[in-house]
Amino acid sequence: MALADGIRAAPIAFPQTSPPGYHYLPEEPTYNPAQHLSLKKPSRIYRLSDLGYDKTLVANCPTDVAITDPIRLLSESGVAALREVSLNLRQYKQRCDRIPNMVRGAAYRSRFIRDLCLCPIVTEFLSEIVGTPLAPHSMPLHLGHLNFAPENISEAVDRWHIDTISLDYVLMVSEPSALEGGKFQYFNGTQAEAAVILNHAQDLPPERVVSPTFPDAGYAIFQQGSMVVHRATRLLRQAERITLVNGYVPLDTSFPDQSRFADMKVVDEHSVLLPEWARHKAWLSRNKLDTLIEELPFTSDRAAICAALREAIADVEAAISDIEDTSESKMLYYGR
Ligand SMILES: [Fe+2]
């Protein structure tokens, strides 16, 4: 059921309390958008059709934007503050099969990162770029994900994958010109094409791999990460390489939810993840129920009414089944 014009979901509020064991840094800069932001629109935006997606697949997405050229988000002092905070959070590093050195839950550990990631000025700026209203991701675990250089540089910083979430930016926190390797790259093609090639243990054709040039620290690419196959290559020389990935949700919640529980199940602490998943899915269903309440026509078509009710609560049903399922899951990514 599509949302009627003008009906938009309200963003979900950030939790009032932190998960047990999560504490904010005792000392850190205070986020100040007037001082820390320097917003500059992208010179170019690539559409899903540019990557070869057909109309049917694009119609299921909240925006037809695939990925932007690097856009400036942070000022010099914004970069300095975020770098300082990120280095302080490195003590919480963890790894998974796909990413060897990362920090999750940064929005529960740094007020600076929380406030940057929730900043309404940035959200509005990005909403204009994608052409649809966004909100910071309804699951705080997807706010301010940090990637660091692997300790063993023979490992990729992040292997070929599509994101666990639909929309995000990848922000360069370290000085990109100081890096040898460690490039952010994306595939100029569809996920299905990439899967065929990579699952046959072949490299993606180099002429179809794009390596955007980040002019400086503080620049980010914005992407529909669930549709753009991307990675960060291995470093050729050990160096500081920090990126911050911030997730967003569309406020038009009528599109299929691209957030994947299975990936998070193998990475995140369940005491944080399971309630976040429940809240996120409850938020989606609440919006769909609100739409149903607004729009359900007078009819004696029992099947249509029941189908509308089922569709509205499908996210909650899915969450219950995910949370009840105690089996192990596997993260979706490609080998390289
Ligand atoms: Fe990613």
Side-chain angles (χ1 to χ4, degrees):
M1 181 183 293
L3 287 174
D5 282 350
I7 298 180
R8 300 287 178 190
I12 195 167
F14 192 83
Q16 296 283 319
T17 54
S18 295
Y22 287 73
H23 304 286
Y24 284 108
L25 290 169
E27 275 186 49
E28 58 173 326
T30 301
Y31 175 67
N32 175 357
Q35 182 191 345
H36 294 132
L37 293 182
S38 177
L39 303 178
K40 196 172 157 210
K41 287 204 167 166
S43 50
R44 189 154 173 204
I45 296 171
Y46 302 88
R47 307 283 161 185
L48 290 170
S49 56
D50 295 331
L51 301 190
Y53 283 103
D54 65 33
K55 283 182 186 158
T56 319
L57 288 169
V58 177
N60 268 330
C61 295
T63 171
D64 70 345
V65 169
I67 192 164
T68 68
D69 276 346
I71 51 182
R72 183 152 192 183
L73 287 188
L74 295 185
S75 66
E76 216 170 288
S77 78
V79 169
L82 178 56
R83 179 171 174 270
E84 176 194 323
V85 168
S86 303
L87 290 172
N88 278 334
L89 292 186
R90 204 159 46 173
Q91 60 184 299
Y92 300 110
K93 69 183 179 188
Q94 62 183 106
R95 67 171 295 142
C96 65
D97 288 347
R98 200 189 94 198
I99 311 170
N101 196 351
M102 63 180 176
V103 167
R104 302 277 296 162
Y108 292 128
R109 304 189 193 275
S110 159
R111 290 184 176 88
F112 182 92
I113 288 183
R114 178 197 64 192
D115 295 347
L116 167 65
C117 294
L118 295 176
C119 178
I121 299 168
V122 177
T123 304
E124 191 180 333
F125 171 73
L126 297 172
S127 297
E128 273 179 33
I129 290 172
V130 299
T132 191
L134 304 179
H137 202 289
S138 32
M139 300 179 68
L141 283 169
H142 291 314
L143 303 176
H145 167 109
L146 290 164
N147 280 335
F148 293 90
E151 279 158 20
N152 174 359
I153 62 166
S154 70
E155 292 186 280
V157 176
D158 194 353
R159 301 176 193 220
W160 284 119
H161 66 281
I162 52 165
D163 284 331
T164 302
I165 52 178
S166 152
L167 299 155
D168 55 90
Y169 66 69
V170 181
L171 171 66
M172 196 59 71
V173 183
S174 305
E175 173 55 56
S177 65
L179 299 177
E180 288 178 36
K183 286 180 186 300
F184 175 87
Q185 295 184 322
Y186 68 91
F187 176 52
N188 184 9
T190 65
Q191 184 197 347
E193 285 178 285
V196 167
I197 299 168
L198 291 167
N199 288 337
H200 284 82
Q202 292 167 6
D203 278 327
L204 295 174
E207 68 278 10
R208 296 183 67 191
V209 173
V210 184
S211 306
T213 301
F214 286 77
D216 210 343
Y219 278 75
I221 60 94
F222 187 86
Q223 62 179 345
Q224 189 158 182
S226 55
M227 300 295 280
V228 178
V229 178
H230 59 279
R231 72 170 174 181
T233 64
R234 72 184 187 88
L235 286 156
L236 303 176
R237 191 164 57 86
Q238 190 57 262
E240 177 192 293
R241 184 191 187 280
I242 308 170
T243 52
L244 178 139
V245 182
N246 197 41
Y248 290 85
V249 285
L251 284 182
D252 182 342
T253 48
S254 62
F255 296 97
D257 181 24
Q258 297 297 331
S259 302
R260 286 200 306 278
F261 181 75
D263 290 34
M264 296 175 278
K265 194 174 168 184
V266 290
V267 168
D268 290 318
E269 282 183 42
H270 285 191
S271 60
V272 185
L273 171 65
L274 302 183
E276 283 198 5
W277 188 239
R279 294 171 79 241
H280 168 69
K281 291 300 218 183
W283 175 71
L284 290 172
S285 278
R286 184 179 68 189
N287 296 327
K288 289 171 185 173
L289 286 166
D290 281 346
T291 305
L292 180 145
I293 292 163
E294 292 273 341
E295 295 183 355
L296 193 67
F298 288 106
T299 174
S300 55
D301 185 340
R302 288 183 169 80
I305 296 170
C306 292
L309 285 166
R310 279 198 195 93
E311 192 184 326
I313 62 168
D315 284 287
V316 161
E317 297 274 19
I320 291 169
S321 143
D322 288 336
I323 291 165
E324 281 181 339
D325 179 3
T326 55
S327 66
E328 288 192 8
S329 70
K330 204 170 175 321
M331 202 169 195
L332 176 66
Y333 67 94
Y334 307 105
R336 292 158 195 274

